[in-house]
Amino acid sequence: MIKILKYTEYLYLVVAIVSVYKIFELWEADREGTYIFIFFALVSTGMFFFRRNYRRRFERRKNENKK
């Protein structure tokens, strides 16, 4: 279960990186179209940190219950 959570948090990071790349690629040509990628980058980055914090908290609780 924890390995799946680790993979999903990095999936959010990949989405953020791809979104930032698209922002730089499309900024001069279509500024209106880049706003959706800015949104994706911000939300994906936030979800990465939220998921990482949640996974670490879950691991700590699991380790405390084993003791």
Side-chain angles (χ1 to χ4, degrees):
M1 173 82 177
I2 292 177
K3 287 186 179 189
I4 292 172
L5 292 176
K6 189 178 281 190
Y7 293 132
T8 58
E9 72 186 43
Y10 286 112
L11 182 64
Y12 284 117
L13 196 60
V14 168
V15 170
I17 291 169
V18 169
S19 296
V20 169
Y21 172 75
K22 291 298 278 184
I23 290 167
F24 283 118
E25 183 180 297
L26 297 175
W27 185 258
E28 291 298 322
D30 183 21
R31 192 166 288 189
E32 294 272 330
T34 58
Y35 293 134
I36 190 76
F37 289 110
I38 292 171
F39 174 75
F40 284 151
L42 292 175
V43 170
S44 297
T45 304
M47 285 299 293
F48 167 75
F49 288 114
F50 174 77
R51 288 292 214 174
R52 185 173 66 167
N53 185 27
Y54 182 76
R55 179 184 53 86
R56 287 180 178 175
R57 188 181 316 157
F58 184 73
E59 287 175 348
R60 268 188 259 128
R61 283 186 189 162
K62 187 176 178 182
N63 290 336
E64 288 174 1
N65 288 338
K66 284 185 180 180
K67 293 180 181 180

